[in-house]
């Protein structure tokens, strides 16, 4: 049990489908992240939310749309994806000390990931 | 933008061998450094971290890492590996991004296989 739960664990979708990935954290954190993990590449940061406000968007294509309705839940809405978007999508959470200037100490807690295959 | 390089992509060792995984980062300011581990079929989890003070930090399961500021390095070591250390290891740096926030940046990972 990681404290960060991702669903579904596996998803296969066509390029014209619309689907969503869900992440829920039970750790009382107030910052949440989406990372993309592809083979032979560094983990790529996609989005960061702190206190439900998006604070970082790492030039991600608009076919990926995040939503953070509250500090415990994070969604990644997927629409008209490409085969190269197939990857493991990781959600993480942390305690955000952004307002105290101590955010650089934050440690991430990860979910087990959602394996996405785009046909 | 900051970057993290892990030069060893695949490492294969026998049990009891010593391990050193390289990690270099490119950022001139204050950094906080982490090693995360991902065991087969499990989630990424923290192995150890460095914020300040003694540059030699110890983590779980006998791992340690040394921060060498002049070399921009944070190499991971273990004197004697076990089969259960088979995993993917990721180096990460918290550094100030262009957006003004401290964002964890990861390396591409090193796959370690330990033969019994």
């Amino acid at each position: 049990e990681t404290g960060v739960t991702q669903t579904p664990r596996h998803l296969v979708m066509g390029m014209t489908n619309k689907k969503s990935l869900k992440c829920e954290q039970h750790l009382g954190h107030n910052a949440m992240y989406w990372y993309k993990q592809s083979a032979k590449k560094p983990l790529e940061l996609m989005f960061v939310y702190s206190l439900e406000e998006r604070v970082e968007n790492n030039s991600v294509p608009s076919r990926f749309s995040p939503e953070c309705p509250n500090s415990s839940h994070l969604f990644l809405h997927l629409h008209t994806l490409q085969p190269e978007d197939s990857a493991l999508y990781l959600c993480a959470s942390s305690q955000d000390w952004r307002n105290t200037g101590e955010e650089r100490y934050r440690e991430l807690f990860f979910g087990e990931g959602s394996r996405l295959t785009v046909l | 933008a900051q970057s993290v390089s892990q030069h060893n992509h695949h490492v294969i060792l026998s049990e009891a061998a010593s391990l050193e995984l390289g990690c270099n980062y490119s950022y001139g300011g204050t950094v906080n450094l982490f090693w995360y581990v991902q065991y087969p079929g499990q989630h990424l989890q923290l192995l150890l971290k460095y914020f300040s003070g003694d540059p030699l930090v110890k983590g779980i399961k006998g791992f340690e890492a040394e921060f060498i500021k002049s070399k921009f390095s944070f190499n991971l070591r273990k004197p004697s590996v076990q089969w259960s250390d088979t995993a993917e290891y990721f180096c990460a740096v918290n550094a100030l991004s262009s957006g003004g926030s401290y964002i964890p940046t990861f390396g591409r990972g090193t796959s370690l296989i330990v033969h019994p």
Side-chain angles (χ1 to χ4, degrees):
Chain A
E1 179 57 47
T2 73
V4 180
T5 304
Q6 291 187 241
T7 55
R9 294 292 307 279
H10 299 273
L11 177 63
V12 179
M13 59 186 290
M15 289 191 284
T16 58
N17 292 157
K18 285 186 182 179
K19 297 284 184 183
S20 296
L21 305 181
K22 179 183 175 183
C23 177
E24 184 174 0
Q25 59 95 3
H26 311 276
L27 300 169
H29 291 160
N30 54 17
M32 298 187 77
Y33 310 70
W34 280 116
Y35 279 88
K36 177 183 179 183
Q37 186 178 21
S38 306
K40 302 182 181 179
K41 286 187 176 181
L43 263 71
E44 299 173 54
L45 178 67
M46 301 177 72
F47 301 102
V48 181
Y49 278 83
S50 173
L51 300 171
E52 301 146 47
E53 175 189 346
R54 190 190 305 180
V55 299
E56 193 86 9
N57 174 3
N58 231 24
S59 303
V60 178
S62 59
R63 56 186 184 268
F64 294 92
S65 174
E67 179 189 359
C68 187
N70 55 61
S71 59
S72 298
H73 294 86
L74 183 66
F75 295 89
L76 187 63
H77 302 300
L78 315 170
H79 179 48
T80 60
L81 296 191
Q82 305 298 311
E84 59 264 29
D85 296 323
S86 298
L88 183 68
Y89 288 84
L90 295 174
C91 174
S93 70
S94 74
Q95 191 59 38
D96 190 347
W97 293 290
R98 187 156 51 100
N99 294 334
T100 67
E102 294 184 345
E103 59 180 336
R104 62 196 181 98
Y105 299 114
R106 60 184 166 195
E107 165 194 343
L108 298 184
F109 293 78
F110 285 88
E112 294 184 332
S114 293
R115 173 73 61 188
L116 173 67
T117 303
V118 182
L119 302 177
Chain B
Q2 61 269 19
S3 65
V4 179
S5 297
Q6 293 181 243
H7 306 294
N8 315 105
H9 301 148
H10 299 278
V11 174
I12 300 174
L13 296 173
S14 297
E15 276 195 316
S18 64
L19 170 72
E20 180 159 5
L21 301 182
C23 174
N24 289 89
Y25 62 92
S26 64
Y27 183 71
T30 303
V31 292
N32 294 294
L33 302 160
F34 304 78
W35 277 96
Y36 287 83
V37 61
Q38 187 174 29
Y39 297 104
Q42 295 188 27
H43 64 282
L44 267 164
Q45 56 190 288
L46 184 70
L47 194 59
L48 50 76
K49 58 190 176 185
Y50 171 78
F51 293 157
S52 63
D54 188 346
L56 185 63
V57 292
K58 297 192 183 299
I60 59 172
K61 302 186 180 185
F63 285 91
E64 64 180 30
E66 185 175 13
F67 170 52
I68 303 180
K69 189 175 181 179
S70 60
K71 295 185 178 180
F72 297 89
S73 70
F74 189 56
N75 291 354
L76 181 70
R77 300 195 293 248
K78 186 171 183 178
S80 175
V81 294
Q82 299 174 308
W83 174 78
S84 57
D85 293 324
T86 294
E88 192 93 14
Y89 293 82
F90 293 88
C91 183
V93 174
N94 270 11
L96 195 61
S97 73
S98 57
S101 297
Y102 278 91
I103 299 298
T105 301
F106 285 79
R108 60 177 282 178
T110 297
S111 173
L112 171 66
I113 297 175
V114 180
H115 289 299

